[in-house]
């Protein structure tokens, strides 16, 4: 049987151990919802003295407003159910800033099985959260880059293939027209040979931005098809409307007034456009539809370029 002296010694040792860790121990009496104990480390982390942590109200009010409702509701429901749990939230510091905290909670029960107290540790996870947020940001940037053409900034072929699949299925399901414009910069190899690849890259970027501006509706979608070719996907657009968009694209490129002394079609950079339109049925194939746009583009080139063929 242990003596009162040894019990007191053990208690002092446990308290010393708890208060020497970076984790902040605490205990809440379930009946009164008041703090029975909170480690002195809390003051170094948040600025609030241990004496100022009287009840769960102090815990809740010193929480970021965006986190408060869900954290309080979650912790209360888990505690009432007698389930150990943890929650991450932003805790208010005395000087008005916020620190990311992870609360790990153990539900203590009496011999009858009723909840008697909540015992837990608070951990400062600010650096971990900062790292997580940086990783999420990096992941989003990488995801964006994986669907973006590195030179022109518009979508790449990978993203184009995904959009075409979606819009083809939508058009077939809803019996609506779908059009695509396959756009080629006339005599672009000769442009590169005459003006150099750096100026050629600038030319590609300017044309991509101009075409993207013509694609003004929310679902209109421009992508680099490959090399000096672009594709503009026009959902719910029939052949007449698609031809009109194609002519706007052609005129917009001519208005850029980019000189092209080596062109066989114009003294300015120009484009040829093949237009394909369809209301897909269950017999049609997307690949055949894209090939039809390619055939129209080829026809535009045979007819002298700097034109639209639909």
């Amino acid at each position: 049987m242990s003596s009162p002296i040894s019990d007191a010694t053990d208690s002092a040792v446990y308290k010393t151990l708890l208060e020497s860790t970076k984790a902040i121990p605490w205990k809440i009496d379930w009946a009164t919802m008041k703090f029975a104990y909170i480690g002195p480390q809390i003051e170094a982390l948040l600025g609030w003295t241990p004496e100022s942590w009287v009840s769960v109200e102090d815990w809740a009010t010193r929480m970021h407003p965006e986190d408060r409702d869900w954290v309080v509701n979650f912790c209360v429901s888990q505690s009432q159910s007698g389930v150990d749990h943890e929650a991450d939230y932003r805790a208010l510091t005395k000087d008005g800033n916020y620190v990311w905290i992870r609360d790990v909670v153990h539900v203590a029960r009496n011999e009858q099985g009723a909840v008697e107290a909540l015992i837990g540790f608070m951990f400062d996870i600010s650096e971990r959260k900062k790292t997580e947020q940086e990783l999420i940001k990096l992941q989003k940037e990488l995801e964006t880059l994986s669907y973006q053409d590195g030179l022109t900034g518009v979508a790449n072929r990978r993203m184009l293939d995904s959009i075409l699949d979606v819009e083809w299925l939508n058009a077939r399901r809803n019996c609506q027209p779908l059009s695509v414009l396959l756009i080629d910069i006339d005599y672009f190899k000769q442009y590169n040979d005459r003006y150099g690849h750096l100026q050629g890259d600038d030319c590609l970027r300017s044309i991509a931005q101009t075409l993207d501006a013509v694609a003004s509706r929310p679902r209109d979608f421009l992508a680099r098809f490959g090399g000096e070719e672009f594709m503009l996907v026009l959902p719910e657009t029939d052949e007449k409307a698609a031809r009109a968009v194609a002519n706007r694209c052609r005129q917009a490129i001519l208005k850029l007034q980019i000189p092209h002394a080596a062109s066989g079609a114009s003294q300015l950079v120009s484009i040829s456009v093949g237009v394909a339109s369809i209301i897909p049925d269950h017999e049609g194939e997307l690949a055949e539809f894209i090939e039809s746009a390619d055939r129209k583009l080829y026809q535009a080139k045979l007819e002298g370029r700097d034109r639209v063929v639909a």
Side-chain angles (χ1 to χ4, degrees):
M1 181 177 178
S2 61
S3 68
I5 294 176
S6 64
D7 287 344
T9 302
D10 288 346
S11 179
V13 170
Y14 293 146
K15 186 177 180 183
T16 301
L17 287 171
L18 286 173
E19 294 179 359
S20 65
T21 66
K22 288 188 177 181
I24 302 165
W26 55 265
K27 180 180 180 181
I28 289 176
D29 179 69
W30 183 254
T32 63
M33 286 295 167
K34 293 185 181 297
F35 278 92
Y37 175 79
I38 189 164
Q41 306 99 311
I42 194 73
E43 187 171 4
L45 179 60
L46 300 180
W48 308 102
T49 63
E51 294 76 25
S52 70
W53 296 82
V54 178
S55 71
V56 291
E57 286 297 317
D58 299 304
W59 169 71
T61 55
R62 293 169 182 174
M63 199 179 296
H64 196 289
E66 293 177 3
D67 302 334
R68 187 179 300 135
D69 286 347
W70 82 261
V71 172
V72 171
N73 292 337
F74 172 74
C75 290
V76 168
S77 65
Q78 295 295 99
S79 299
Q80 287 173 336
S81 302
V83 179
D84 292 350
H85 55 280
E86 59 184 59
D88 294 352
Y89 58 87
R90 289 161 288 181
L92 178 68
T93 64
K94 195 171 183 179
D95 59 7
N97 295 313
Y98 286 95
V99 173
W100 272 102
I101 293 289
R102 173 164 294 169
D103 241 337
V104 179
V105 185
H106 169 66
V107 181
R109 297 171 175 271
N110 59 23
E111 292 179 356
Q112 289 73 41
V115 177
E116 187 175 58
L118 303 178
I119 302 170
F121 286 93
M122 292 181 185
F123 297 88
D124 177 6
I125 60 168
S126 298
E127 286 302 315
R128 183 185 305 177
K129 279 291 180 181
K130 183 180 178 182
T131 302
E132 286 177 2
Q133 288 164 357
E134 288 173 352
L135 287 172
I136 290 170
K137 180 183 176 184
L138 180 61
Q139 187 175 8
K140 287 181 178 177
E141 288 175 354
L142 289 173
E143 186 175 330
T144 299
L145 288 172
S146 71
Y147 289 108
Q148 188 180 61
D149 178 59
L151 176 61
T152 64
V154 299
N156 61 15
R157 183 65 180 269
R158 179 182 179 188
M159 187 64 175
L160 173 64
D161 290 341
S162 298
I163 292 295
L164 281 170
D165 285 340
V166 170
E167 294 297 357
W168 178 264
L169 291 174
N170 282 338
R172 188 170 66 185
R173 184 185 305 114
N174 300 312
C175 295
Q176 292 176 329
L178 173 66
S179 294
V180 296
L181 312 183
L182 188 53
I183 302 162
D184 182 75
I185 304 173
D186 295 327
Y187 297 103
F188 189 68
K189 181 183 181 302
Q190 288 80 355
Y191 184 92
N192 273 332
D193 292 343
R194 178 68 178 263
Y195 299 100
H197 287 278
L198 290 179
Q199 196 161 329
D201 289 348
D202 288 340
C203 178
L204 276 171
R205 280 189 285 266
S206 295
I207 287 176
Q209 292 166 7
T210 302
L211 294 174
D212 201 32
V214 175
S216 55
R217 299 179 308 171
R219 283 171 58 197
D220 292 350
F221 182 82
L222 178 74
R224 190 175 179 188
F225 193 70
E228 64 271 22
E229 290 186 338
F230 297 87
M231 178 169 283
L232 182 53
V233 182
L234 301 172
E236 298 179 26
T237 305
D238 61 16
E239 187 271 333
K240 182 179 178 182
R243 185 194 292 266
V245 174
N247 280 311
R248 287 206 303 274
C249 289
R250 178 175 164 272
Q251 291 300 322
I253 300 306
L254 291 174
K255 284 180 182 178
L256 291 174
Q257 296 283 295
I258 302 173
H260 190 351
S263 172
S266 169
Q267 289 300 299
L268 301 173
V269 168
S270 61
I271 59 173
S272 299
V273 187
V275 181
S277 302
I278 194 173
I279 298 178
D281 57 27
H282 290 281
E283 303 299 322
E285 294 290 338
L286 175 58
E288 293 176 0
F289 175 55
I290 301 305
E291 285 174 12
S292 69
D294 191 46
R295 288 194 297 271
K296 296 299 181 185
L297 175 60
Y298 182 69
Q299 185 179 339
K301 291 179 180 181
L302 286 179
E303 292 179 7
R305 309 189 190 226
D306 187 21
R307 68 193 61 228
V308 173
V309 172

